[in-house]
Amino acid sequence: MEEDGKEWIRLEVRDAVCTLTLSAPGQLNAIHAPMMSELQRHLEEVRDNAAIRALLLTGEGRAFCTGAHVGEMNGLEDKGEGIHRILDDGWNRVIRLIRSMPKPVVSAVNGIAAGGGVGLALSADMVLASRSARFIQVFGPRLGVIPDVGSTWFLPQALGRARAMRLMLTGEPLAAEEAASWGLIADCVEDADLMGKAFRLARDLSKGPIEAFAEIRKAVDRGLTCGLNTALDHERDTNARLAAEPAFTEGTSAFVEKREPDFVHLSRKPHGSDQ
């Protein structure tokens, strides 16, 4: 499974956007332990690098990601304990890293997204997919387990119970065009246009107030599971805090001065500083 010197993830940083590409096309970007470790390490690097202001996640070849490496799972001596470890230390940590990323995340689904690959794609803030892409829930009908990597949260929230159950119980592929019309993803684009449009979207987001974008993600996730009064209180408290940041001053000044705001070159106060 391991190849000496093999890099399972490719990174390219351009215009403050880091493009992270799953690079195991021969296994349809199914993720095994060495690849998972590399993915986690790179996500942490992106998180901690202030020069990177947006992340673009995609796959190489004809698949975005087909989930966990089935050969690795089949070889587990204690499958119950092994799957617990693969999810807890591997996939779930990746999803939490992405969902807590202090900068916007775009996924460009270039082909098949199956199993855990669906959750990986949907963990981004915005999802674009090529017209040839398919989203497939293989867990129940093919493997005899429940959907994981966030699918039991992402799909019902976006699609409602009926459509989510249909996909999870039948395992039928959901075409990208239908996924867009159902509201599961932001847009379906022509295959040849996917990476160009996804990169431009990530670059545009990188020029915005990325701290506020991260707070929008938190507020939306919170709003999916809380009542209106709780959401109102969260909006009030978050905006009271963000209003004290330089981005709000720049945004309001730019609006009054009838110019485009420049959020990129702002210097944020250090955490805990009153200066």
Side-chain angles (χ1 to χ4, degrees):
M1 187 180 299
E2 295 190 53
E3 300 175 23
D4 292 340
K6 167 68 176 176
E7 291 186 355
W8 301 102
I9 311 291
R10 290 203 323 271
L11 267 76
E12 177 188 4
V13 179
R14 179 163 58 99
D15 294 344
V17 175
C18 176
T19 301
L20 187 156
T21 305
L22 305 180
S23 183
Q27 61 196 42
L28 299 180
N29 294 319
I31 298 181
H32 48 51
M35 190 173 178
M36 178 61 73
S37 296
E38 194 173 329
L39 176 59
Q40 291 178 349
R41 185 177 76 252
H42 287 316
L43 287 172
E44 290 169 349
E45 291 168 355
V46 171
R47 177 195 64 194
D48 297 337
N49 189 339
I52 295 173
R53 293 179 55 86
L55 171 64
L56 174 58
L57 181 63
T58 192
E60 180 182 347
R62 62 189 183 92
F64 170 77
C65 175
T66 53
H69 196 287
V70 176
E72 180 182 66
M73 293 190 296
N74 190 53
L76 294 170
E77 184 174 344
D78 184 335
K79 289 184 170 55
E81 189 277 333
I83 293 300
H84 187 283
R85 183 181 65 254
I86 287 171
L87 288 174
D88 211 34
D89 298 339
W91 287 93
N92 291 354
R93 185 165 171 237
V94 162
I95 299 304
R96 289 179 175 123
L97 280 167
I98 293 172
R99 296 296 280 193
S100 63
M101 190 70 64
K103 51 201 76 179
V105 182
V106 175
S107 62
V109 181
N110 52 295
I112 300 168
V118 175
L120 181 63
L122 298 180
S123 66
D125 298 312
M126 297 184 69
V127 184
L128 302 186
S130 63
R131 195 165 299 279
S132 63
R134 298 290 184 272
F135 298 84
I136 311 172
Q137 290 286 301
V138 299
F139 303 95
R142 297 293 298 274
L143 300 175
V145 293
I146 71 168
D148 53 30
V149 194
S151 283
T152 62
W153 192 85
F154 292 125
L155 269 70
Q157 295 287 1
L159 303 179
R161 186 180 190 277
R163 282 175 167 169
M165 289 294 288
R166 169 181 160 185
L167 295 176
M168 293 177 184
L169 295 184
T170 67
E172 64 185 35
L174 178 65
E177 188 170 6
E178 195 165 21
S181 69
W182 283 9
L184 184 65
I185 63 174
D187 200 5
C188 168
V189 302
E190 297 302 325
D191 288 30
D193 297 333
L194 175 66
M195 291 310 299
K197 288 189 175 182
F199 178 80
R200 288 191 293 274
L201 172 59
R203 185 181 58 193
D204 289 347
L205 292 173
S206 77
K207 296 176 182 178
I210 61 172
E211 293 84 6
F213 289 165
E215 292 293 344
I216 289 172
R217 179 200 303 138
K218 293 178 188 176
V220 169
D221 287 351
R222 184 187 184 99
L224 289 170
T225 56
C226 73
L228 175 59
N229 285 330
T230 301
L232 290 170
D233 289 345
H234 180 74
E235 292 168 355
R236 175 201 63 208
D237 295 344
T238 302
N239 275 343
R241 175 165 47 83
L242 290 176
E245 298 290 345
F248 184 71
T249 299
E250 169 63 12
T252 54
S253 297
F255 185 86
V256 171
E257 297 164 11
K258 297 181 172 56
R259 60 175 175 83
E260 287 296 314
D262 180 4
F263 296 113
V264 175
H265 298 100
L266 296 176
S267 57
R268 298 189 76 237
K269 295 185 296 183
H271 290 294
S273 172
D274 294 326
Q275 302 299 316

